[in-house]
């Protein structure tokens, strides 16, 4: 099969397409012919040398942590999934490839209403956003500040908070302000004078979600008294120092199913800003590594 993989840590250029052995579905796994895979900063961090807790990097390593595709083989002890099922799911590594063998417990059926790219790019950012939404206890009437609201995680979190009936203010570059308005949030530019601009929009905040880093937590502690309602997915050491909440994605098939249903019902959108071919995976990494952008990037790997 063809896959995008790296055999040394380094910049985006180390990620190249090559022929690799097609994996087989072991006990409890299914083999998925991948149609689309989401691209995350985490994938780029792994390519650059970071090893996620619990993962083992083996060269040549195929990155990629969410996908959509079609089940083409079943390992033993797999119930509830059938050959030909259209699915989406997650795994720490391995989805920038024509085929991936994945535990059946990390896969759900793809609702017809989701496009292949939406389904392929939903899990990583979606599950992180939903975990943060749950941990912060966002509820109707909350006034919520989202740092990095236009990004992959921020775009989903913002929509979940708006759906819950919260009033949401999101920080973003000016080019993304129309995007935040379309999500139902008030946009504010980050950078010098941000505190004054925030106070102009809302009198106070009940919760802050930081999906951007850049020491935004220092601003947050001046806005919200209860530090359990200030969370970051980026600035872990600063959160420790300030007593804020650290969120790490808790991925489950159930949580992914909840998100997929919201998308299928038209209440949540996965915004795909650009798709790349598998042989353009390095370019896709360069794009996510800019730290700017709107919504998600997907790799289009196969055809249905
Ligand atoms: N803990 C976890 O489990 C977990 C899981 C997933 C991701 N993450 C991390 O979460 C972060 C966000 O991921 P993502 O995929 O959403 O990234 P992304 O799509 O690149 O979004 C980052 C956002 O940050 C904004 N930004 C850039 N500079 C900023 C500044 N100085 N102040 C405020 N906002 C700024 C950008 O806004 P503009 O484009 O509008 O400039 C962009 O929308 C990454 O660091 C990622 O590694 C953590």
């Amino acid at each position: 099969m063809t896959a995008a993989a790296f055999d040394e840590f380094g910049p985006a250029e180390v990620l190249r397409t090559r022929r690799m052995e097609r994996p087989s579905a072991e006990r409890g796994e299914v083999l998925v012919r991948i149609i689309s895979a989401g691209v995350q900063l985490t994938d780029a961090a792994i390519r650059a040398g970071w090893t996620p807790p619990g993962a083992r990097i083996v060269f040549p390593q195929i990155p990629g942590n969410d996908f959509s595709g079609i089940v083409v083989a079943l390992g033993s002890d797999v119930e509830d999934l059938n050959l030909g099922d259209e699915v989406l799911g997650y795994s720490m590594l391995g989805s920038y490839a024509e085929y991936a063998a994945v535990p059946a417990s990390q896969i759900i059926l793809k609702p017809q209403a989701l496009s292949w790219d939406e389904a392929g790019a939903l899990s990583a950012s979606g599950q992180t956003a939903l975990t943060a939404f749950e941990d912060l206890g966002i509820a109707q009437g909350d006034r919520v500040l989202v740092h990095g609201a236009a990004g992959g995680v921020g775009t989903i979190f913002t929509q979940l908070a708006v759906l819950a009936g919260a009033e949401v203010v999101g920080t973003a570059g000016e080019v993304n302000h129309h995007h935040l308005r379309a999500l139902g949030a008030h946009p504010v530019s980050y950078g010098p004078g941000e505190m004054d601009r925030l106070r102009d929009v809302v009198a106070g905040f009940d919760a802050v979600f930081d999906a951007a880093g850049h020491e935004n937590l220092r601003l947050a502690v001046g806005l919200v008294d209860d530090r359990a309602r200030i969370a970051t997915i980026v600035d872990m050491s600063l959160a420790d120092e300030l007593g804020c909440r650290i969120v790490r994605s808790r991925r489950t098939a159930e949580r992914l199913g909840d998100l997929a249903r919201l998308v299928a019902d038209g209440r949540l959108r996965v915004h795909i800003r650009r798709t790349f071919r598998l042989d353009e995976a390095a370019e896709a990494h360069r794009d996510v590594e800019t730290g700017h952008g709107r919504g998600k990037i997907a790799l289009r790997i196969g055809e249905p």
Side-chain angles (χ1 to χ4, degrees), residues 41 128 151-153 172-173 176 190 211-212 214 216 233-234 247 249 291-293:
L41 268 170
T128 305
V153 179
N176 287 327
Y190 51 76
H214 300 279
N216 278 310
I233 55 169
V234 184
V247 173
S249 186
H292 300 283

Side-chain angles (χ1 to χ4, degrees), residues 216-227:
N216 278 310
L217 291 180
R218 293 201 191 280
L219 198 76
V221 295
L223 293 167
V224 172
D225 291 333
D226 180 359
R227 295 195 180 186

Side-chain angles (χ1 to χ4, degrees), residues 69-123:
I70 297 170
V71 174
V72 292
L74 303 171
S76 58
D77 290 345
V78 173
E79 292 161 12
D80 307 329
L81 284 169
N82 296 297
L83 295 181
D85 279 349
E86 298 184 352
V87 295
L88 66 151
Y90 57 94
S91 66
M92 182 53 73
L93 297 159
S95 58
Y96 293 9
E98 288 179 312
Y99 295 89
V102 186
S105 59
Q106 296 175 194
I107 282 175
I108 63 168
L109 292 175
K110 182 180 87 62
Q112 278 292 321
L114 268 71
S115 75
W116 290 102
D117 292 329
E118 287 171 333
L122 177 60
S123 175

Side-chain angles (χ1 to χ4, degrees), residues 39-42 45 124-125 127-129 131 146-155 171-177 180 189-191 194 209-214 216 232-236 246-250 273 287-296:
V39 178
Q40 2 282 337
L41 268 170
T42 311
S125 294
Q127 300 220 51
T128 305
T131 305
V146 184
H147 287 295
V153 179
T155 290
T171 65
E174 262 182 32
V175 69
N176 287 327
H177 283 197
L180 295 194
S189 296
Y190 51 76
E194 183 175 338
F209 174 52
D210 168 36
H214 300 279
N216 278 310
T232 185
I233 55 169
V234 184
D235 234 338
M236 311 314 193
I246 290 171
V247 173
R248 289 195 175 84
S249 186
R250 293 189 301 276
R273 73 168 174 273
D287 191 323
V288 294
E289 286 181 301
T290 62
H292 300 283
R294 191 168 37 248
K296 294 292 305 180

Side-chain angles (χ1 to χ4, degrees), residues 13-276:
E13 298 77 78
V14 300
L15 186 59
R16 292 187 207 99
T17 45
R18 64 191 75 206
R19 298 295 296 171
M20 289 181 68
E21 199 177 327
R22 181 166 142 175
S24 50
E26 305 294 335
R27 186 175 178 189
E29 291 183 338
V30 296
L31 185 68
V32 178
R33 182 168 70 78
I34 307 274
I35 307 292
S36 184
V39 178
Q40 2 282 337
L41 268 170
T42 311
D43 305 339
I46 292 170
R47 184 216 71 226
W50 178 67
T51 301
R56 198 164 72 89
I57 305 298
V58 179
F59 295 138
Q61 180 63 60
I62 307 169
N65 115 18
D66 52 11
F67 59 85
S68 61
I70 297 170
V71 174
V72 292
L74 303 171
S76 58
D77 290 345
V78 173
E79 292 161 12
D80 307 329
L81 284 169
N82 296 297
L83 295 181
D85 279 349
E86 298 184 352
V87 295
L88 66 151
Y90 57 94
S91 66
M92 182 53 73
L93 297 159
S95 58
Y96 293 9
E98 288 179 312
Y99 295 89
V102 186
S105 59
Q106 296 175 194
I107 282 175
I108 63 168
L109 292 175
K110 182 180 87 62
Q112 278 292 321
L114 268 71
S115 75
W116 290 102
D117 292 329
E118 287 171 333
L122 177 60
S123 175
S125 294
Q127 300 220 51
T128 305
L130 185 50
T131 305
F133 172 86
E134 291 167 359
D135 288 359
L136 280 167
I138 303 299
Q140 180 153 24
D142 274 343
R143 296 158 304 171
V144 182
L145 172 61
V146 184
H147 287 295
V153 179
T155 290
I156 302 274
F157 182 94
T158 296
Q159 293 177 83
L160 294 173
V162 168
L163 260 178
E167 183 174 6
V168 182
V169 176
T171 65
E174 262 182 32
V175 69
N176 287 327
H177 283 197
H178 70 283
H179 173 66
L180 295 194
R181 279 192 204 96
L183 301 180
H186 308 285
V188 166
S189 296
Y190 51 76
E194 183 175 338
M195 190 66 128
D196 294 336
R197 289 193 292 280
L198 290 170
R199 289 199 173 114
D200 285 347
V201 177
V202 174
F205 288 97
D206 301 297
V208 177
F209 174 52
D210 168 36
H214 300 279
E215 302 236 319
N216 278 310
L217 291 180
R218 293 201 191 280
L219 198 76
V221 295
L223 293 167
V224 172
D225 291 333
D226 180 359
R227 295 195 180 186
R229 299 209 77 198
I230 302 174
T232 185
I233 55 169
V234 184
D235 234 338
M236 311 314 193
S237 52
L238 187 56
D240 266 341
E241 180 192 321
L242 298 174
C244 301
R245 188 181 279 278
I246 290 171
V247 173
R248 289 195 175 84
S249 186
R250 293 189 301 276
R251 295 182 297 174
T252 65
E254 191 187 0
R255 205 171 262 116
L256 184 56
D258 290 345
L259 289 161
R261 264 188 301 282
L262 286 174
V263 181
D265 292 349
R267 292 191 289 159
L268 180 68
R269 268 196 64 199
V270 182
H271 294 257
I272 306 287
R273 73 168 174 273
R274 193 163 168 197
T275 57
F276 291 86

